[in-house]
Every structure is written in structure tokens, then in C-alpha cells.
Amino acid sequence: MTEVEQTPALIVDRATALRNIERLRDYSQQHGLRVRPHTKTHKSLEFAVEQIKAGAVGLSVAKAGEAEVMSQVTDDVLVAYPAIDGPRVRRLAALAVTKTIRVAIDSPAGVAILDDAATEADSTIGILVDLDVGFHRTGVQSSDEALAIAQAVARSKSLRLDGLFFFPGHLRDSVEPQISKLRQVDAIVLDAIDALERSGLHVSIVSGGSTPSLYQLHHLKAITEIRPGTYVFNDMSTVAGGYCKIEDCAARVTATVISTAVPGKCVVDAGTKTLAADRNSVRPESGFGYVVEYPDAKIVRLTEEHGEIDITGCDHSPKTGDRLTLIPNHICPCVNLQAIAWTRNLDGSLQPLRIDARGLIS
Amino acid sequence: MTEVEQTPALIVDRATALRNIERLRDYSQQHGLRVRPHTKTHKSLEFAVEQIKAGAVGLSVAKAGEAEVMSQVTDDVLVAYPAIDGPRVRRLAALAVTKTIRVAIDSPAGVAILDDAATEADSTIGILVDLDVGFHRTGVQSSDEALAIAQAVARSKSLRLDGLFFFPGHLRDSVEPQISKLRQVDAIVLDAIDALERSGLHVSIVSGGSTPSLYQLHHLKAITEIRPGTYVFNDMSTVAGGYCKIEDCAARVTATVISTAVPGKCVVDAGTKTLAADRNSVRPESGFGYVVEYPDAKIVRLTEEHGEIDITGCDHSPKTGDRLTLIPNHICPCVNLQAIAWTRNLDGSLQPLRIDARGLIS
């Protein structure tokens, strides 16, 4: 089979995804950075395996359930999330009996609950202290706070202090190195390292990253590993940021034109329940994705099952029944919406793509 | 069990949902309108059955797969969507062998493909002609176009002309009847009825509706049936529009505070992959939902798995580990995101809620 029977359908081009994975491998090798891809984007063992084949030292996840799934293909999982409530810590502590499990946390309460769970399970959990380097979502606010958590970890029974963690979500929307922001990140990280090491604590891992900041990260002095997610498939936000080109977008939605009744528009069978409602993070005014066959078209409105495309700028018009190829603004929630998806193999054939970690609660 | 073990978790309060269903029943009885709820909101047989018990004449769906699921509990399904491509029409034609299946269409191409499929399956599909009454998404633009489609249906082998269809998506953001818009809708609908009936075609069904327009619809002269979806659970957009109160929101997400490290904020384990990224359709500046325990808080940013809540306006602060109750802006995509959900029974106990029609492709 080379075409999907039913639409809307997410199809991942394996050749493009492998090229994206290789590009990251080359960058990381050039700069001596370890790679720990965030699997939130693909949630699939198929692509996790490709990332590991390309030299990833382990995988990043957001959920305990994702850690369980991804530990099928790696022995080394970082929970890049403050997983500090009862059910999560119990599941992670159990997993840590046989796997290397690390958790990034920003609270003394997290130390206590993770230590209790690991002690109960007779396992050891590695801890990275989460620093707020400017995105202001999670992360401690000072090297004193980082030190307090690190010392609590050092005093704990069943936790191991492994290092520091940050998410530079504010480094984006610019393919050029954002030198002043990078300097601030560096200062915060180096300050924390200094505080810990002066207290006799060893920082072996400094884990940071995102796709928009990806190719700036080697400018950071102390970083040891990077955690991009979106880079594996890319999307219109990464294109708009200048981090990749349209042809690097591996995951695309095939949709069918189901109405052309309203003048100047066509309507496809992909709305927010297929593409997700995310606006382009760099160019929010650009609409809800890109129509490959009609580069001058604009996806002007999404409702749940309808994608409305303004075609007034196009020199010809789609007809009902035509299939169009859409690239979403944000591929991560789009993948998460698909109960069924497809990989296009190198020979052009399609095979089902399992989104193994889709829809897990915690 | 009266509390969920793991978060984030969507919990539907059965008593509230039943009250919402009864309110619609009372309104429809008062005004002599038939009710055909749109099941896109709950996608669940459990609540479809409750709607039918309360007198719904049938159900509305957007997908062929949803029609297959919902036909388990009703013999009468309207596909409120231009389902006019090959796979959809074949599945609907097969279903129409034993069920009453209607499809709303706006193109002559749709007549041909549905007729072929029904003829092939030896079934009959009912057709409603979709009129654009002002939302400009789908629907024919004139009574001449409506007549042309209706006449093509009348000439077809296996289709039955049943009437007219419209989606008044532009009647919203106001609980007061929007008289001038309602008059326009009336004029368009009456004009189409006139064109069809003068050509000897009978219009037995005039189907229209949405939740925001719901309690205005009896002002329309020719409408026979209404198709609200969201009303069963409600959400912050329906609250902001004045169509219901906070206590009428039946479906809420229980989330856990996982970080309080950033001053003035707490972070919960519900982001766009739990709540959906939709802004409030009436008050887009109001944030990404409502925190029941902290009415003065504002959900200021959602990323995939983080919900960031500004608590600077609150007189006390949540702690890590606390559970908060969130009401989403748009409940329909939120329900669609949940692999596992719960119903709170009248006795306070929780039971799993199956989202039977979740994630179906077409």
C-alpha cells in the first residue's frame, strides 16, 4: 500500500525523520554533546529505536507511563518533569530497580517523596536539580535553593545526585545565537555548579535543551547533554523559526477536500481534533499550518473536524475529493491525537506507526 | 473508589450532565423542537443513552466511524458533515442497510458519490442540503444552489431528500437573542424552503444548531430539530457566553500541583495534551480554563504537560501535591484527548467512562 485509504491520516516519512536524526547526531558529535531525545514528539518505540541507533545515550519523557514504555528500548530514562506525586514516584521507583531512572525536580518536597518511594522499592533514583534559566515555568530561583535540594539528595537514603537540569524555552524564534540570553543561562548554570561543588557535591550531568534552542546549545559552557524533541519530525513553528526547511518536516497530514461551497475557500477533513489548535509559535498570524500543494493558501480557521483554507491567493482551486498534504504548526500534540498513523518506508510503502505512549495519564 | 489515583484525570459528574440534558429536554418540549444531540462532545455511548432516554429523536455525528459507534444505541443517525469521499460513503451506505442514515451535503459531487455508494449497498441514504447561514464554513450560497442539489437528490436512485441543514456558528457570544442575525438565518432558510417546495420537493426536516445558539433557536420560524453538542457537559466558553453557570460544567479535570518554584505561580500536570489549547471563545484573554478552588487564579500558559497558574491574585497558595479542579475552555477536544476518563455516579463513586468514539479516523 502506498496511499492511505482513509483521511485524515498522519504519515511520517522515514527518510526525512532519519535525516533529521542524523543531522542532530552530526551536530552533537561535532560539539561533544550527549543526546537524550525527548520522546514526547513521536511517543513511538519505532523512532525511539532510530534515535538510539544514532547514538542517543538514553531517552527523555514527561510521564511515568512514558518511562515504562520507553524503557522497553533503553536502560536509561530521564523524566524531564517534576514527577513528585504518589502514583508517579511509585511507578518510577519500581522501574528504577532494573533501569537507570533520573527525575528533574525543583522542590525539597520532591526529594522526600522520591526518596521514600525508592527506599520502599529498594531502588535508586538519580536526581537532576531543575534550574529556572529564564522560561519561568519550573525550576529553582537561586543557587542557594539548588544547593539546598542537592544537599537533601546527598543526605537521602535512596537518591543519587547526578547534576543539573534546565529547559530554555525562552531561547526561540531566532536561528541566530541569542548571545545575551545564552550568557544569562550560562551564568545561572555556572553559579549553581559552583555552589554545589564548593559544598563537595559533584555535578556529572548538565542537561538542557529544546528544539528551538538546539543549534545554539554548544555556546553554553557547562552543558553535557541536550534533549530536543520536535527535531525528529519538525513542524511549521520550527520552519518559521529558521531551524529547518519545509522539506525537513517528516510528519504530514493527508486530508480530503470535503467542501468548496463557500467562495474563496476549500474545507478539508482535518480540524483541531487532527492538527491540534496550536498557533505557529513564531508567526501566530500565519494560520494553522501549511498546505504543501498550495503554498499560497492559508489555513484560516480550524474547528473540530473542519480545516478552512483560504485559496484566494492561489492560481487554481482544489476540487472536492482532492487530497491535500498539511504540515501542522506543532507536531507534538498532533501526533498525540492520532489513534492510527503511518510510516512511509524508504521504498515508498506505508506501514502502521504505533504511537505506543499515546494518551497515558501520568 | 471516590477519588482518582492518578492525575490528570477527566471526571464527569453524572448528576450535572443529567441536569443539563433535562434542561434541553424541557426547552425543546416547550418549543416543539426535536432534539438530535451532537455526540462529538462526549463520544460516549453512556451519555448518548442518557440523551435518548430524555427524548432525543436520534444522534448527530461528524464521522462515519462515529456513526458506526452511535448506531449501537440509536436507529437514526445524522452525519452533520459533508461525508462525500469514498471510504466514508461506503461505510455509511453499509450502515444505511439497517439504520436511518442522513448526510448533510453542499455539493452536486456529493450527491453522485453517495448515490453510487447507496445503490451499490442496496440501501437508501437521506439527504439534508447544507445551507450557509452566515458562518461561512460549509453550505450552499443560494436557494438556486440548494434547489439544484435537492433536484439531483430527487432524480437519484438511492437517495431520499429529507430537508435542510445549517450550522449557525456565528450566533454566539451573546445569551440574548441576536435578532438581526436570526432574521438573516430565517430569510435564508425560508428562501430555500420556498424554492424547493415551489419545485414540488418536500422539506420535512430543518436541522440547525449549536450550543451557543441553543436557547435562541425557537425564534427561527422553520426549524424542526436542534443539534447542540457541548450543552451536555458545558465548559468555560459556554459559561463566558452566559449560556450556563460554573456549576453546570459537568466535566472537570483533576490535576496535581507539581511545582511552586517560580514566584507567583503554581504548575499543574495538565497542559495542552490534557486540556487542549483552545482559548475561551468569548473571553480569549481569560486564560486556559478555570481553577475551581482558586477562583482568582488564572491559567496563564499551557505547554504540553504543564499548566502554569498565576496565583498572585489569590489570598493563599496551593502547595506541591495539592489537587486542583480545572474546567477547560472547550470540553469537546478535551474529552477527545482522554484515553481514560471517569464518571462520578450519583452516590459519589467513580466508574470508568468509555470514550467509545475517540480517535476514529474518518
Side-chain angles (χ1 to χ4, degrees):
Chain A
M1 173 172 128
T2 60
E3 296 304 328
V4 290
E5 197 206 351
Q6 298 182 62
T7 64
L10 181 73
I11 301 177
V12 177
D13 187 68
R14 177 184 286 278
T16 307
L18 292 182
R19 199 172 67 230
N20 294 337
I21 290 170
E22 284 159 18
R23 181 183 174 201
L24 178 66
R25 182 199 58 199
D26 293 348
Y27 169 79
S28 64
Q29 286 180 349
Q30 185 186 344
H31 296 289
L33 293 169
R34 282 180 290 187
V35 176
R36 183 184 296 279
H38 203 309
T39 57
K40 70 181 178 112
T41 303
H42 54 64
K43 294 200 175 202
S44 106
L45 293 173
E46 179 178 329
F47 285 99
V49 165
E50 296 296 346
Q51 291 171 319
I52 291 164
K53 277 196 217 163
V57 297
L59 298 171
S60 300
V61 301
K63 290 175 176 271
E66 293 171 9
E68 288 162 355
V69 170
M70 292 303 157
S71 67
Q72 294 174 42
V73 296
T74 182
D75 291 329
D76 189 338
V77 175
L78 168 62
V79 184
Y81 197 80
I84 60 166
D85 61 319
R88 284 181 175 88
V89 300
R90 283 193 294 276
R91 292 165 70 182
L92 293 172
L95 208 53
V97 173
T98 55
K99 303 283 178 176
T100 298
I101 300 295
R102 295 187 181 88
V103 183
I105 60 173
D106 65 7
S107 63
V111 175
I113 192 168
L114 279 160
D115 189 34
D116 287 349
T119 302
E120 176 80 19
D122 200 15
S123 64
T124 302
I125 294 176
I127 298 294
L128 303 183
V129 180
D130 181 1
L131 307 176
D132 181 1
V133 295
F135 189 56
H136 308 320
R137 184 174 70 180
T138 62
V140 299
Q141 301 294 301
S142 69
S143 58
D144 283 352
E145 283 177 52
L147 179 60
I149 292 174
Q151 287 176 326
V153 172
R155 284 192 305 268
S156 74
K157 247 192 190 160
S158 305
L159 304 181
R160 180 186 66 244
L161 181 69
D162 283 337
L164 300 172
F165 172 101
F166 60 94
F167 174 66
H170 65 308
L171 287 173
R172 64 180 313 136
D173 309 353
S174 162
V175 74
E176 295 300 311
Q178 296 171 280
I179 298 298
S180 68
K181 287 185 187 170
L182 284 163
R183 281 200 187 128
Q184 285 175 344
V185 175
D186 246 348
I188 292 166
V189 174
L190 293 171
D191 195 36
I193 292 173
D194 187 52
L196 269 60
E197 298 208 326
R198 280 196 295 145
S199 298
L201 299 170
H202 181 56
V203 175
S204 57
I205 295 173
V206 177
S207 175
S210 64
T211 290
S213 69
L214 177 51
Y215 297 107
Q216 310 180 31
L217 293 175
H218 63 281
H219 294 289
L220 295 173
K221 294 192 178 72
I223 194 167
T224 65
E225 74 171 31
I226 56 178
R227 302 187 314 273
T230 309
Y231 83 98
V232 64
F233 293 161
N234 290 311
D235 55 27
M236 289 313 293
S237 290
T238 47
V239 169
Y243 318 115
C244 73
K245 297 201 161 52
I246 296 277
E247 57 263 34
D248 301 320
C249 293
R252 302 169 180 211
V253 170
T254 298
T256 299
V257 176
I258 42 99
S259 173
T260 59
V262 175
K265 269 188 190 173
C266 75
V267 183
V268 293
D269 58 354
T272 61
K273 283 179 175 170
T274 300
L275 299 170
D278 297 51
R279 291 203 169 257
N280 190 296
S281 64
V282 182
R283 298 204 298 120
E285 78 294 350
S286 66
F288 294 93
Y290 180 77
V291 186
V292 175
E293 293 82 0
Y294 292 84
D296 298 321
K298 181 175 176 179
I299 306 175
V300 287
R301 183 167 61 185
L302 296 184
T303 43
E304 289 165 55
E305 302 289 1
H306 299 76
E308 295 172 53
I309 304 176
D310 181 331
I311 52 165
T312 52
C314 306
D315 56 10
H316 64 296
S317 304
K319 295 186 300 294
T320 57
D322 282 1
R323 287 186 167 190
L324 301 181
T325 310
L326 313 180
I327 304 178
N329 281 333
H330 191 185
I331 194 61
C332 310
C334 173
V335 170
N336 183 55
L337 284 164
Q338 316 301 320
I340 298 173
W342 305 89
T343 303
R344 187 173 297 286
N345 292 318
L346 304 184
D347 66 2
S349 66
L350 292 176
Q351 69 175 46
L353 167 62
R354 284 176 55 101
I355 318 291
D356 307 270
R358 171 174 182 254
L360 302 172
I361 286 198
S362 62
Chain B
M1 176 172 125
T2 59
E3 296 304 328
V4 290
E5 196 205 352
Q6 298 183 60
T7 63
L10 181 74
I11 301 176
V12 177
D13 187 69
R14 177 184 287 278
T16 307
L18 292 182
R19 199 173 67 230
N20 293 337
I21 290 170
E22 284 159 18
R23 180 182 174 203
L24 179 66
R25 182 200 58 198
D26 294 347
Y27 169 79
S28 64
Q29 286 179 349
Q30 185 185 343
H31 296 289
L33 293 168
R34 282 179 291 186
V35 176
R36 182 184 297 279
H38 203 310
T39 57
K40 69 180 178 112
T41 303
H42 54 65
K43 293 198 176 206
S44 106
L45 293 173
E46 179 177 330
F47 285 97
V49 164
E50 297 297 346
Q51 292 171 318
I52 291 165
K53 277 196 218 161
V57 297
L59 298 170
S60 301
V61 302
K63 291 176 175 270
E66 293 172 9
E68 288 162 356
V69 170
M70 293 303 157
S71 67
Q72 294 174 42
V73 296
T74 182
D75 291 327
D76 188 339
V77 175
L78 168 62
V79 184
Y81 197 78
I84 60 165
D85 62 320
R88 284 182 175 88
V89 299
R90 283 193 293 276
R91 293 164 69 181
L92 293 172
L95 209 53
V97 173
T98 54
K99 302 283 178 177
T100 298
I101 299 295
R102 293 188 182 88
V103 183
I105 60 173
D106 64 7
S107 65
V111 176
I113 192 168
L114 280 161
D115 189 33
D116 287 349
T119 302
E120 176 80 19
D122 201 15
S123 64
T124 302
I125 294 175
I127 298 295
L128 304 182
V129 180
D130 180 0
L131 308 176
D132 181 2
V133 296
F135 190 56
H136 308 321
R137 183 174 71 178
T138 63
V140 298
Q141 300 296 299
S142 69
S143 58
D144 284 351
E145 284 176 52
L147 178 60
I149 291 174
Q151 287 175 325
V153 172
R155 283 191 305 267
S156 73
K157 248 190 187 160
S158 304
L159 304 181
R160 181 188 64 243
L161 181 69
D162 282 339
L164 300 172
F165 172 101
F166 60 93
F167 175 66
H170 65 308
L171 287 173
R172 64 179 313 136
D173 309 353
S174 162
V175 75
E176 294 300 312
Q178 296 171 281
I179 297 297
S180 67
K181 287 184 186 170
L182 285 164
R183 281 199 187 131
Q184 285 174 344
V185 175
D186 246 348
I188 292 166
V189 173
L190 293 171
D191 195 33
I193 293 174
D194 188 51
L196 268 59
E197 299 209 325
R198 279 196 296 144
S199 298
L201 300 170
H202 181 56
V203 175
S204 57
I205 296 174
V206 176
S207 175
S210 65
T211 290
S213 68
L214 178 51
Y215 297 107
Q216 309 181 30
L217 292 175
H218 63 282
H219 293 290
L220 295 173
K221 293 191 179 74
I223 194 167
T224 66
E225 74 171 31
I226 56 178
R227 305 186 313 273
T230 308
Y231 82 98
V232 64
F233 292 162
N234 288 313
D235 55 28
M236 289 313 292
S237 290
T238 46
V239 169
Y243 317 115
C244 73
K245 298 201 161 53
I246 295 276
E247 57 263 34
D248 301 320
C249 293
R252 303 171 178 210
V253 170
T254 299
T256 300
V257 176
I258 43 98
S259 174
T260 58
V262 175
K265 269 188 191 173
C266 76
V267 183
V268 293
D269 59 354
T272 62
K273 283 179 175 169
T274 300
L275 298 170
D278 297 50
R279 291 202 170 257
N280 189 298
S281 64
V282 182
R283 297 203 301 120
E285 77 294 350
S286 66
F288 294 94
Y290 180 78
V291 186
V292 174
E293 293 82 0
Y294 292 84
D296 297 320
K298 181 175 176 179
I299 307 175
V300 288
R301 182 166 63 184
L302 295 184
T303 43
E304 290 165 53
E305 302 289 2
H306 299 76
E308 294 173 55
I309 303 176
D310 181 332
I311 52 164
T312 52
C314 305
D315 56 9
H316 64 296
S317 305
K319 295 186 299 295
T320 57
D322 282 1
R323 287 187 167 189
L324 302 181
T325 309
L326 314 180
I327 303 178
N329 282 332
H330 191 184
I331 195 60
C332 309
C334 172
V335 170
N336 183 54
L337 283 163
Q338 316 301 320
I340 298 171
W342 305 89
T343 302
R344 187 172 298 285
N345 292 318
L346 304 184
D347 66 2
S349 65
L350 291 177
Q351 69 175 46
L353 167 62
R354 285 176 54 102
I355 319 290
D356 307 271
R358 173 176 180 253
L360 303 172
I361 285 197
S362 62

